[in-house]
mmCIF file of all heavy atoms in Angstrom:
data_model
loop_
_atom_site.group_PDB
_atom_site.id
_atom_site.type_symbol
_atom_site.label_atom_id
_atom_site.label_comp_id
_atom_site.label_asym_id
_atom_site.label_seq_id
_atom_site.Cartn_x
_atom_site.Cartn_y
_atom_site.Cartn_z
ATOM 1 N N VAL A 1 7.250 2.483 8.957
ATOM 2 C CA VAL A 1 5.915 1.887 9.073
ATOM 3 C C VAL A 1 5.968 0.498 8.444
ATOM 4 O O VAL A 1 6.671 0.284 7.445
ATOM 5 C CB VAL A 1 4.850 2.746 8.344
ATOM 6 C CG1 VAL A 1 3.458 2.136 8.517
ATOM 7 C CG2 VAL A 1 4.871 4.181 8.857
ATOM 8 N N GLU A 2 5.255 -0.454 9.016
ATOM 9 C CA GLU A 2 5.212 -1.799 8.441
ATOM 10 C C GLU A 2 4.481 -1.772 7.101
ATOM 11 O O GLU A 2 3.509 -1.028 6.924
ATOM 12 C CB GLU A 2 4.503 -2.762 9.393
ATOM 13 C CG GLU A 2 5.263 -3.038 10.686
ATOM 14 C CD GLU A 2 6.576 -3.753 10.456
ATOM 15 O OE1 GLU A 2 6.668 -4.539 9.493
ATOM 16 O OE2 GLU A 2 7.519 -3.523 11.232
ATOM 17 N N LEU A 3 4.932 -2.600 6.174
ATOM 18 C CA LEU A 3 4.316 -2.633 4.850
ATOM 19 C C LEU A 3 2.832 -2.996 4.925
ATOM 20 O O LEU A 3 2.034 -2.546 4.107
ATOM 21 C CB LEU A 3 5.052 -3.631 3.950
ATOM 22 C CG LEU A 3 4.595 -3.688 2.483
ATOM 23 C CD1 LEU A 3 4.769 -2.328 1.806
ATOM 24 C CD2 LEU A 3 5.377 -4.757 1.720
ATOM 25 N N SER A 4 2.457 -3.772 5.928
ATOM 26 C CA SER A 4 1.051 -4.161 6.087
ATOM 27 C C SER A 4 0.151 -2.955 6.352
ATOM 28 O O SER A 4 -1.062 -3.014 6.146
ATOM 29 C CB SER A 4 0.899 -5.178 7.223
ATOM 30 O OG SER A 4 1.400 -4.647 8.442
ATOM 31 N N ASN A 5 0.765 -1.843 6.793
ATOM 32 C CA ASN A 5 0.002 -0.622 7.071
ATOM 33 C C ASN A 5 0.129 0.412 5.957
ATOM 34 O O ASN A 5 -0.264 1.569 6.129
ATOM 35 C CB ASN A 5 0.478 0.001 8.396
ATOM 36 C CG ASN A 5 0.199 -0.895 9.584
ATOM 37 O OD1 ASN A 5 -0.842 -1.540 9.650
ATOM 38 N ND2 ASN A 5 1.134 -0.951 10.526
ATOM 39 N N ALA A 6 0.664 0.010 4.817
ATOM 40 C CA ALA A 6 0.947 0.957 3.737
ATOM 41 C C ALA A 6 -0.312 1.639 3.212
ATOM 42 O O ALA A 6 -0.320 2.863 3.010
ATOM 43 C CB ALA A 6 1.665 0.241 2.592
ATOM 44 N N VAL A 7 -1.355 0.869 2.980
ATOM 45 C CA VAL A 7 -2.564 1.453 2.380
ATOM 46 C C VAL A 7 -3.223 2.481 3.302
ATOM 47 O O VAL A 7 -3.497 3.609 2.872
ATOM 48 C CB VAL A 7 -3.556 0.344 1.959
ATOM 49 C CG1 VAL A 7 -4.848 0.972 1.434
ATOM 50 C CG2 VAL A 7 -2.933 -0.546 0.886
ATOM 51 N N PRO A 8 -3.483 2.150 4.581
ATOM 52 C CA PRO A 8 -4.055 3.187 5.454
ATOM 53 C C PRO A 8 -3.129 4.379 5.654
ATOM 54 O O PRO A 8 -3.587 5.519 5.767
ATOM 55 C CB PRO A 8 -4.314 2.444 6.771
ATOM 56 C CG PRO A 8 -3.528 1.184 6.696
ATOM 57 C CD PRO A 8 -3.447 0.843 5.264
ATOM 58 N N ALA A 9 -1.809 4.127 5.679
ATOM 59 C CA ALA A 9 -0.857 5.233 5.838
ATOM 60 C C ALA A 9 -0.909 6.164 4.638
ATOM 61 O O ALA A 9 -0.812 7.399 4.783
ATOM 62 C CB ALA A 9 0.558 4.684 6.025
ATOM 63 N N LEU A 10 -1.073 5.608 3.451
ATOM 64 C CA LEU A 10 -1.189 6.420 2.237
ATOM 65 C C LEU A 10 -2.499 7.201 2.248
ATOM 66 O O LEU A 10 -2.535 8.394 1.925
ATOM 67 C CB LEU A 10 -1.116 5.522 1.000
ATOM 68 C CG LEU A 10 -1.135 6.236 -0.367
ATOM 69 C CD1 LEU A 10 0.118 7.089 -0.527
ATOM 70 C CD2 LEU A 10 -1.234 5.216 -1.506
ATOM 71 N N LYS A 11 -3.554 6.530 2.643
ATOM 72 C CA LYS A 11 -4.879 7.161 2.690
ATOM 73 C C LYS A 11 -4.912 8.310 3.688
ATOM 74 O O LYS A 11 -5.536 9.350 3.433
ATOM 75 C CB LYS A 11 -5.932 6.111 3.049
ATOM 76 C CG LYS A 11 -7.356 6.633 3.033
ATOM 77 C CD LYS A 11 -8.345 5.523 3.327
ATOM 78 C CE LYS A 11 -9.778 6.038 3.274
ATOM 79 N NZ LYS A 11 -10.765 4.939 3.549
ATOM 80 N N ASN A 12 -4.218 8.152 4.820
ATOM 81 C CA ASN A 12 -4.220 9.172 5.863
ATOM 82 C C ASN A 12 -3.172 10.266 5.641
ATOM 83 O O ASN A 12 -3.038 11.173 6.471
ATOM 84 C CB ASN A 12 -3.978 8.526 7.235
ATOM 85 C CG ASN A 12 -5.104 7.569 7.614
ATOM 86 O OD1 ASN A 12 -6.235 7.738 7.176
ATOM 87 N ND2 ASN A 12 -4.775 6.559 8.427
ATOM 88 N N GLY A 13 -2.418 10.161 4.566
ATOM 89 C CA GLY A 13 -1.429 11.182 4.258
ATOM 90 C C GLY A 13 -0.146 11.072 5.044
ATOM 91 O O GLY A 13 0.665 12.005 5.057
ATOM 92 N N GLN A 14 0.070 9.929 5.701
ATOM 93 C CA GLN A 14 1.304 9.738 6.464
ATOM 94 C C GLN A 14 2.500 9.490 5.556
ATOM 95 O O GLN A 14 3.641 9.754 5.938
ATOM 96 C CB GLN A 14 1.150 8.563 7.430
ATOM 97 C CG GLN A 14 0.115 8.765 8.522
ATOM 98 C CD GLN A 14 -0.100 7.495 9.326
ATOM 99 O OE1 GLN A 14 -0.942 6.657 9.001
ATOM 100 N NE2 GLN A 14 0.679 7.346 10.386
ATOM 101 N N ILE A 15 2.234 8.954 4.382
ATOM 102 C CA ILE A 15 3.280 8.694 3.395
ATOM 103 C C ILE A 15 2.807 9.174 2.024
ATOM 104 O O ILE A 15 1.611 9.362 1.793
ATOM 105 C CB ILE A 15 3.643 7.181 3.323
ATOM 106 C CG1 ILE A 15 2.403 6.341 2.956
ATOM 107 C CG2 ILE A 15 4.265 6.707 4.624
ATOM 108 C CD1 ILE A 15 2.699 4.873 2.730
ATOM 109 N N ASP A 16 3.768 9.364 1.129
ATOM 110 C CA ASP A 16 3.435 9.766 -0.247
ATOM 111 C C ASP A 16 3.351 8.564 -1.184
ATOM 112 O O ASP A 16 2.802 8.670 -2.288
ATOM 113 C CB ASP A 16 4.488 10.741 -0.773
ATOM 114 C CG ASP A 16 4.520 12.036 0.030
ATOM 115 O OD1 ASP A 16 3.476 12.712 0.089
ATOM 116 O OD2 ASP A 16 5.588 12.354 0.597
ATOM 117 N N GLY A 17 3.920 7.448 -0.741
ATOM 118 C CA GLY A 17 3.894 6.265 -1.580
ATOM 119 C C GLY A 17 4.523 5.081 -0.872
ATOM 120 O O GLY A 17 5.052 5.210 0.238
ATOM 121 N N PHE A 18 4.465 3.922 -1.531
ATOM 122 C CA PHE A 18 5.086 2.727 -0.951
ATOM 123 C C PHE A 18 5.592 1.818 -2.057
ATOM 124 O O PHE A 18 5.179 1.921 -3.219
ATOM 125 C CB PHE A 18 4.122 1.982 -0.029
ATOM 126 C CG PHE A 18 2.892 1.409 -0.700
ATOM 127 C CD1 PHE A 18 2.880 0.112 -1.218
ATOM 128 C CD2 PHE A 18 1.720 2.164 -0.784
ATOM 129 C CE1 PHE A 18 1.748 -0.410 -1.822
ATOM 130 C CE2 PHE A 18 0.574 1.648 -1.381
ATOM 131 C CZ PHE A 18 0.589 0.357 -1.896
ATOM 132 N N VAL A 19 6.512 0.954 -1.675
ATOM 133 C CA VAL A 19 7.103 -0.007 -2.609
ATOM 134 C C VAL A 19 6.674 -1.411 -2.184
ATOM 135 O O VAL A 19 6.768 -1.758 -1.005
ATOM 136 C CB VAL A 19 8.644 0.089 -2.611
ATOM 137 C CG1 VAL A 19 9.244 -0.942 -3.572
ATOM 138 C CG2 VAL A 19 9.087 1.493 -2.986
ATOM 139 N N THR A 20 6.228 -2.184 -3.131
ATOM 140 C CA THR A 20 5.831 -3.554 -2.814
ATOM 141 C C THR A 20 6.208 -4.467 -3.973
ATOM 142 O O THR A 20 6.266 -4.033 -5.130
ATOM 143 C CB THR A 20 4.310 -3.637 -2.529
ATOM 144 O OG1 THR A 20 3.975 -4.948 -2.081
ATOM 145 C CG2 THR A 20 3.486 -3.316 -3.764
ATOM 146 N N ALA A 21 6.484 -5.717 -3.657
ATOM 147 C CA ALA A 21 6.821 -6.695 -4.689
ATOM 148 C C ALA A 21 5.958 -7.931 -4.477
ATOM 149 O O ALA A 21 5.821 -8.426 -3.365
ATOM 150 C CB ALA A 21 8.295 -7.079 -4.625
ATOM 151 N N GLY A 22 5.366 -8.398 -5.536
ATOM 152 C CA GLY A 22 4.526 -9.592 -5.469
ATOM 153 C C GLY A 22 3.944 -9.854 -6.831
ATOM 154 O O GLY A 22 4.168 -9.099 -7.779
ATOM 155 N N SER A 23 3.197 -10.916 -6.942
ATOM 156 C CA SER A 23 2.557 -11.212 -8.221
ATOM 157 C C SER A 23 1.526 -10.136 -8.509
ATOM 158 O O SER A 23 0.883 -9.610 -7.608
ATOM 159 C CB SER A 23 1.866 -12.571 -8.132
ATOM 160 O OG SER A 23 1.022 -12.618 -7.001
ATOM 161 N N TYR A 24 1.414 -9.766 -9.779
ATOM 162 C CA TYR A 24 0.403 -8.763 -10.109
ATOM 163 C C TYR A 24 -0.856 -9.458 -10.640
ATOM 164 O O TYR A 24 -0.755 -10.526 -11.238
ATOM 165 C CB TYR A 24 0.956 -7.748 -11.122
ATOM 166 C CG TYR A 24 0.916 -8.187 -12.584
ATOM 167 C CD1 TYR A 24 -0.233 -7.980 -13.364
ATOM 168 C CD2 TYR A 24 2.007 -8.808 -13.182
ATOM 169 C CE1 TYR A 24 -0.269 -8.385 -14.695
ATOM 170 C CE2 TYR A 24 1.984 -9.208 -14.504
ATOM 171 C CZ TYR A 24 0.836 -8.999 -15.261
ATOM 172 O OH TYR A 24 0.789 -9.410 -16.574
ATOM 173 N N PRO A 25 -2.033 -8.876 -10.415
ATOM 174 C CA PRO A 25 -2.274 -7.661 -9.650
ATOM 175 C C PRO A 25 -2.102 -7.891 -8.152
ATOM 176 O O PRO A 25 -2.623 -8.855 -7.604
ATOM 177 C CB PRO A 25 -3.731 -7.311 -9.995
ATOM 178 C CG PRO A 25 -4.351 -8.617 -10.378
ATOM 179 C CD PRO A 25 -3.259 -9.426 -11.019
ATOM 180 N N ALA A 26 -1.340 -7.001 -7.511
ATOM 181 C CA ALA A 26 -1.027 -7.133 -6.087
ATOM 182 C C ALA A 26 -2.217 -6.670 -5.244
ATOM 183 O O ALA A 26 -2.756 -5.590 -5.489
ATOM 184 C CB ALA A 26 0.210 -6.295 -5.753
ATOM 185 N N PRO A 27 -2.632 -7.475 -4.260
ATOM 186 C CA PRO A 27 -3.804 -7.121 -3.448
ATOM 187 C C PRO A 27 -3.725 -5.750 -2.794
ATOM 188 O O PRO A 27 -4.714 -5.007 -2.784
ATOM 189 C CB PRO A 27 -3.836 -8.238 -2.400
ATOM 190 C CG PRO A 27 -3.202 -9.405 -3.078
ATOM 191 C CD PRO A 27 -2.114 -8.804 -3.921
ATOM 192 N N ASN A 28 -2.542 -5.380 -2.254
ATOM 193 C CA ASN A 28 -2.454 -4.082 -1.590
ATOM 194 C C ASN A 28 -2.508 -2.920 -2.582
ATOM 195 O O ASN A 28 -2.986 -1.831 -2.257
ATOM 196 C CB ASN A 28 -1.207 -3.980 -0.698
ATOM 197 C CG ASN A 28 0.080 -4.334 -1.416
ATOM 198 O OD1 ASN A 28 0.081 -4.743 -2.574
ATOM 199 N ND2 ASN A 28 1.198 -4.191 -0.718
ATOM 200 N N VAL A 29 -2.058 -3.156 -3.816
ATOM 201 C CA VAL A 29 -2.151 -2.108 -4.840
ATOM 202 C C VAL A 29 -3.605 -1.987 -5.325
ATOM 203 O O VAL A 29 -4.093 -0.877 -5.570
ATOM 204 C CB VAL A 29 -1.203 -2.399 -6.019
ATOM 205 C CG1 VAL A 29 -1.270 -1.276 -7.056
ATOM 206 C CG2 VAL A 29 0.234 -2.561 -5.531
ATOM 207 N N ILE A 30 -4.290 -3.102 -5.450
ATOM 208 C CA ILE A 30 -5.712 -3.077 -5.809
ATOM 209 C C ILE A 30 -6.495 -2.271 -4.778
ATOM 210 O O ILE A 30 -7.324 -1.411 -5.124
ATOM 211 C CB ILE A 30 -6.283 -4.513 -5.884
ATOM 212 C CG1 ILE A 30 -5.678 -5.272 -7.064
ATOM 213 C CG2 ILE A 30 -7.805 -4.488 -6.002
ATOM 214 C CD1 ILE A 30 -6.094 -6.730 -7.131
ATOM 215 N N GLU A 31 -6.210 -2.532 -3.503
ATOM 216 C CA GLU A 31 -6.899 -1.841 -2.419
ATOM 217 C C GLU A 31 -6.616 -0.344 -2.453
ATOM 218 O O GLU A 31 -7.530 0.484 -2.310
ATOM 219 C CB GLU A 31 -6.473 -2.431 -1.075
ATOM 220 C CG GLU A 31 -7.177 -1.818 0.124
ATOM 221 C CD GLU A 31 -6.679 -2.359 1.456
ATOM 222 O OE1 GLU A 31 -5.822 -3.276 1.445
ATOM 223 O OE2 GLU A 31 -7.127 -1.853 2.503
ATOM 224 N N ALA A 32 -5.338 0.013 -2.640
ATOM 225 C CA ALA A 32 -4.966 1.427 -2.663
ATOM 226 C C ALA A 32 -5.581 2.144 -3.858
ATOM 227 O O ALA A 32 -6.069 3.273 -3.747
ATOM 228 C CB ALA A 32 -3.450 1.559 -2.692
ATOM 229 N N ALA A 33 -5.575 1.488 -5.020
ATOM 230 C CA ALA A 33 -6.114 2.101 -6.232
ATOM 231 C C ALA A 33 -7.613 2.320 -6.130
ATOM 232 O O ALA A 33 -8.147 3.328 -6.608
ATOM 233 C CB ALA A 33 -5.784 1.229 -7.439
#
């Protein structure tokens, strides 16, 4: 799955987690949390 789809994939139970690298706080981690 593309990293851009990580948050919805996590929300829908398609994945158990994801790895991302960027400056913190990371926008996709904020969204997921």
